[in-house]
Amino acid sequence: MATTPRIGVVTFPGSLDDRDAARAVRAAGAEAVPLWHGDAELRGVDAVVLPGGFSYGDYLRAGAIARFSPVVNEIVSAASRGLPVLGICNGFQVLCESGLLPGALIRNAGLHFVCRDQRLRVESVTTRWTSDYDEGAEIVIPVKHGEGRYVADQATVDALEADGRVAVRYLDNPNGATNDIAGIRNESGNVVGLMPHPEHAIDPLTGPSTDGLTMFGSVLGALVSA
Amino acid sequence: MARVIVDVMPKPEILDPQGQAIVRALPGLGFEGVTSVRQGKRFEIEIDGGDPAAIARQAAEALLANPAIEDFTVHLDG
């Protein structure tokens, strides 16, 4: 009998979506383990979610201060050993600032904060967080951000495209992101960051779809079969 | 006490939508002939001891600027 997988959800000062992320983790069938930004330990979790919000008030740059928090130091070293890590919105920004993922998220083209149900295409299913999707699947997940425009130097973008490391792509780009990139993965596929919010699309009562639940279910499948 | 200025600017190839919004707003206020605005950040840092310029440069590399999107310059004030 397999034990229930434990997925950590980090709370920074200014996190907003940690409760929804924990709810999504439970809906997928795992135990949600709260992780505090100031704690230099991961409590033995099997995977980690960095949720959306405005960690440390987005001071300096979104994610720039959170990157230096004790818990993120632990996550960076654990990710290099294969721990599955999902960064959502502000969590994606933290992953880019920490160097776990390349590039950066900057102010939306047009400057407007965008909040809407967003159509996406799943481009890479060889990650710990997208393995249960069909490759090329079109899904609907909310976006809500002012600084979600993915940019990187041309060599990095070319490498992402050549290696299939674009995880999800916008079908109608809300922020001017390079190559319509909504989310990317690292080389080994355990780290995924994306601007849209899968935790807000797990229940037809409160979201536009249940497409986001598959992301949390994907990592569980890998953990249970491991 | 040394005072060090670190200027951080978006890289030339990075679109600066804030600068673009400002350049579009200026003609309406009567400012003619402004063809470009780039918006960055300026840090005024006071450092006691050591090599202030070197310390500020290390701080810029580690935290103040993101090398993926920004360039920075360091100079001593005064």
Side-chain angles (χ1 to χ4, degrees), chain A residues 60-61 64-65 67-68 96-97 103-111 149 151-153, chain B residues 8 13-18 20-21 24 41 43 61-66 68-70:
Chain A
L60 187 60
R61 295 178 304 275
I65 309 294
R67 162 201 173 183
F68 294 101
C96 286
E97 284 282 342
L105 286 312
I106 64 170
R107 189 68 71 97
N108 294 349
L111 294 172
R149 179 166 172 262
V151 295
D153 61 68
Chain B
V8 176
E13 67 270 25
I14 298 286
L15 176 73
D16 173 18
Q18 295 178 104
Q20 287 184 339
R24 281 195 301 270
K41 296 179 187 135
F43 299 86
E61 289 169 352
L63 177 64
L64 304 181
N66 179 342
I69 49 173
E70 294 166 328

Side-chain angles (χ1 to χ4, degrees), chain A residues 12-104:
Chain A
F12 299 102
S15 291
L16 295 178
D17 299 321
D18 44 338
R19 291 173 72 97
D20 273 21
R23 182 168 170 267
V25 163
R26 289 192 295 270
E31 177 188 351
V33 178
L35 298 175
W36 185 241
H37 67 104
D39 291 343
E41 60 154 339
L42 301 181
R43 301 177 63 184
V45 295
D46 302 301
V48 169
V49 177
L50 291 165
F54 298 85
S55 58
Y56 301 92
D58 274 358
Y59 289 176
L60 187 60
R61 295 178 304 275
I65 309 294
R67 162 201 173 183
F68 294 101
S69 64
V71 78
V72 171
N73 281 334
E74 294 300 311
I75 289 168
V76 169
S77 58
S80 68
R81 297 190 300 270
L83 183 80
V85 178
L86 178 68
I88 302 167
C89 196
N90 190 226
F92 185 17
Q93 295 162 338
V94 173
L95 291 177
C96 286
E97 284 282 342
S98 74
L100 279 178
L101 294 173

Side-chain angles (χ1 to χ4, degrees), chain A residues 144-203:
Chain A
K144 46 167 196 175
H145 57 249
E147 299 185 30
R149 179 166 172 262
Y150 183 79
V151 295
D153 61 68
Q154 193 60 48
T156 299
V157 173
D158 291 346
L160 288 173
E161 294 287 359
D163 299 345
R165 279 189 279 142
V166 176
V168 283
R169 209 184 295 271
Y170 300 118
L171 290 174
D172 45 353
N173 192 334
N175 55 31
T178 305
N179 289 20
D180 301 328
I181 291 172
I184 59 176
R185 48 168 290 191
N186 67 349
E187 285 87 347
S188 46
N190 62 308
V191 178
V192 171
L194 77 167
M195 288 312 298
H197 287 262
E199 81 282 15
H200 293 335
I202 63 158
D203 184 331

